[in-house]
C-alpha cells in the first residue's frame, strides 16, 4: 500500500482587506491592501496606492474586481470619486480614473448590484451624485446631482443638509440617504434602466428625532428591517421596511447610562446570519456596542467591546461572519476581532496594525 502525503494549507490565502486614509499628501500612501489570515486573524500588507488625496471611504464592485473611493475628501473646493482595478492573482491595485464628486467632501459611495452605477454622497453641501460605470471599471461623468439645503435645530452642526451615506434597498429599487444636517432619511426610487435613474420616492423622506443627526444605515439580511445610527443622538433607530417605506419600531441607545452627552456614533453593521447588530461609538467611549436582534427586529444590548484605539470611524464584518475589523482614525491603527457566532461577543486577535489616519475598511474573499 502506497501512502501519498500532500501539503495542506493551514489558512485561506484569498481574503483581502482594503483600507482608506486621510493621507493629506498625494506623495504618501492613501489606500492599503492587506491579506487576512482567516485562522489567526493576522493582517499582512500586500500593496498600496499613492497619487490620490484623502480616500475617506471605499466600496467594491459586486465582483470585487474594482475598488471605488471617495477622494479629495475634506479638501476645500474639491471632491472626487476614483476607480482602481484590483488583481488578486498579481496582488496589484491599479488606478483607472476619477470624476468630480459634484460637491465638497464626499463621504460615502455605493455600487449597484448590476455593476453599472455608483451613488455618492457629499457631506459639506449636502448632495448626492449618480455615475454610470463602464465594464472596464471606468467611472463616467455624473448624470445626476441633487442638492439639498435645509438644516435642523443644532445651529453648530446642522446649519444645512449633510448627506452622510447612500444605501441601496435590498432589491436595489430604492436609495436611502441619511441627512445628518436635516434630521431626515431621504428616499429615492432607482430605475437602473433609465439614463437618469434617480426619482423622488413616493415617501420622499422619513423624519428622525430632531438633533439626532442620522449617519450610516443598513438593512437586515432578511430585508424586513432597517437600522440607522445617529452621530449626535447616541442611538440606533430601528425600522420595519417594505417597498420604500420605513416604519419606526424602536430607538435604542448605543452607550451605557453613564454617558449623557457628546455622542459620536459612526458606523453600523449586522452579522451575516442576521442575529447581531454592531454599532461604533467614538468620542469618550471608543467602543463597539453589541446587540442581539429579536424576531421583530428590535434590539437588545448584550455588551460593549473597546476598539483598543481612538475614534473608530468605520468597521466591517467579513462574509463568513467570523471577523470584525475596526479602523481607529485618531490613533491611526487597525484591530481585528474574532466574533463568537453564538454570543455575538468580540475578542481581539492578531496585533496592532498601524495605518496613518485610517478611515475606511472593506473585506472581500476572492
Amino acid at each position: 500500500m502506497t501512502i501519498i502525503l500532500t501539503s495542506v494549507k493551514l489558512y485561506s490565502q484569498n481574503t483581502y482587506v482594503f483600507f482608506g486614509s486621510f493621507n493629506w499628501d498625494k506623495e504618501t500612501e492613501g489606500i492599503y491592501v492587506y491579506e487576512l489570515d482567516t485562522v489567526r486573524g493576522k493582517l499582512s500588507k500586500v500593496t498600496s496606492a499613492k497619487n490620490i488625496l484623502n480616500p475617506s471611504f471605499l466600496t467594491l464592485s459586486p465582483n470585487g474586481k474594482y475598488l471605488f473611493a471617495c477622494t479629495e475628501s475634506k479638501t476645500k473646493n474639491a471632491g472626487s470619486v476614483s476607480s482602481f482595478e484590483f488583481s488578486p492573482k498579481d496582488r496589484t491595485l491599479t488606478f483607472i480614473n476619477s470624476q468630480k464628486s459634484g460637491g465638497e467632501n464626499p463621504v460615502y459611495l455605493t455600487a449597484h448590484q448590476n455593476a453599472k452605477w455608483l451613488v455618492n454622497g457629499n457631506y459639506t453641501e449636502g448632495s448626492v451624485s449618480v455615475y454610470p460605470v463602464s465594464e472596464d471599471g471606468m467611472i463616467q461623468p455624473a448624470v445626476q446631482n441633487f442638492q439639498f439645503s435645509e438644516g435642523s435645530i443644532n445651529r453648530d452642526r446642522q446649519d444645512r443638509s449633510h448627506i452622510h451615506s447612500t444605501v441601496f434597498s435590498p432589491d436595489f429599487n430604492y436609495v436611502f440617504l441619511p441627512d445628518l444636517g436635516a434630521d431626515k432619511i431621504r428616499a429615492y426610487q432607482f430605475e437602473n434602466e433609465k439614463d437618469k435613474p434617480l426619482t423622488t420616492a413616493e415617501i420622499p423622506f422619513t423624519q428622525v428625532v430632531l438633533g439626532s443627526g442620522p449617519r450610516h444605515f443598513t438593512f437586515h439580511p432578511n430585508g424586513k428591517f432597517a437600522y440607522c445610527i445617529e452621530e449626535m443622538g447616541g442611538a440606533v433607530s430601528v425600522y420595519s421596511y417594505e417597498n420604500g417605506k420605513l416604519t419606526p419600531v424602536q430607538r435604542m441607545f448605543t452607550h451605557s447610562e453613564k454617558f449623557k452627552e457628546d455622542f459620536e456614533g459612526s458606523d453600523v453593521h449586522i452579522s451575516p446570519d442576521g442575529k447581531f447588530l454592531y454599532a461604533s461609538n467614538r468620542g469618550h467611549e471608543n467602543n463597539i456596542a453589541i446587540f442581539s436582534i429579536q424576531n421583530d427586529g428590535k434590539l437588545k444590548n448584550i455588551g460593549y467591546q473597546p476598539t483598543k484605539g481612538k475614534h473608530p470611524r468605520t468597521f466591517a464584518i467579513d462574509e463568513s461572519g467570523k471577523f470584525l475589523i475596526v479602523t481607529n482614525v485618531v490613533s491611526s491603527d487597525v484591530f481585528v476581532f474574532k466574533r463568537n457566532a453564538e454570543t455575538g461577543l468580540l475578542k481581539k486577535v492578531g496585533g496592532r496594525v498601524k495605518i496613518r489616519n485610517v478611515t475606511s475598511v472593506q473585506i472581500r474573499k476572492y
Side-chain angles (χ1 to χ4, degrees), residues 266-277:
S266 55
D267 204 4
V268 60
H269 294 283
I270 295 172
S271 58
D273 60 14
K275 294 180 179 180
F276 298 95
L277 180 141

Side-chain angles (χ1 to χ4, degrees), residues 234-248:
V236 169
S237 293
V238 183
Y239 301 90
S240 62
Y241 175 73
E242 186 175 11
N243 296 327
K245 182 181 180 182
L246 297 171
T247 303

Side-chain angles (χ1 to χ4, degrees), residues 182-207:
D183 285 323
K184 294 178 177 180
I185 302 172
R186 302 183 185 277
Y188 278 78
Q189 194 165 354
F190 195 92
E191 298 173 272
N192 73 85
E193 297 301 323
K194 291 187 175 182
D195 293 337
K196 296 183 177 181
L198 277 190
T199 55
T200 303
E202 184 178 343
I203 302 173
F205 66 87
T206 299
Q207 184 70 58

